[in-house]
Amino acid sequence: MRLLKRAPSGAVFNPWWQVDDENDARGNASAIRRKQLGAYLSKRLGRAKFAVIGEALGYRGGHFSGIPMTSERILLGKKKDGCIESEQVFSGIISQRTSKPEKCRDGFSEPTATIVWSTLLKLGLSPEQFVLWNAFPWHSFDPRLGMLSNRMPTKAERSAGLPALKAFLYLFQSDNVVGLGKIAASQLEELKVAAHCVRHPASGGAKLFRLQIAKVVNKLI
């Protein structure tokens, strides 16, 4: 959490230490997101055997949930059609949305989050067996479009995210690390981490992602 507090300046939102005045429903939104991230990680410490590393936090996902590749709708139990139950994310605290209802009535939904969660669960992994993170842990947005947008983090920003990625991989040591897409793969390579690289499910990559990650998971289970 201390490392996550040190987000780079510029068009970067830190959901655990900043409040999105335009889109957050309450002033304690960052504290809620910190608590949810802590519960999520604690549920997997000492249990996770499989780490999936994405590119960066998205506005439809961790920006409001506080958890990488996890949307508000997953937290609110609105993704049961994907075999995802809210209690699979964490237990012991009540799941909360932090976005204003008028921004998205049922909470924000992130396609990547839904695809990753549902695929791993359908492949037979229990929720505690896998843990999700991002090579750039914060939300990089397009300043012209505002907070409700995503952009690729710059090279300097990606470098700023390496200490948090290194700390995460130390906490969740595993021989089974998967990088989603080229950005995640290059960050893992920078840290000299041997990882499986698969297609990112966004932009028409869902089918190939499912095929490639299935090969990795089948070796594990």
Side-chain angles (χ1 to χ4, degrees), residues 33 35-45 47 65-79 83-96 113 117 121 126-132:
R33 292 188 285 258
K35 189 174 182 180
Q36 293 187 159
L37 177 62
Y40 167 80
L41 295 176
S42 295
K43 186 179 178 74
R44 288 157 177 79
L45 274 175
R47 299 184 183 93
S65 71
I67 302 169
M69 286 182 272
T70 304
S71 67
E72 288 184 310
R73 288 195 199 175
I74 287 177
L75 289 185
L76 298 173
K78 297 181 182 294
K79 287 293 179 181
C83 299
I84 311 168
E85 301 284 349
S86 58
E87 59 268 21
Q88 292 171 324
V89 183
F90 53 69
S91 52
I93 63 172
I94 297 174
S95 303
Q96 297 184 64
W117 270 93
L121 291 171
S126 69
E128 294 83 5
Q129 281 185 298
F130 63 88
V131 60
L132 312 176

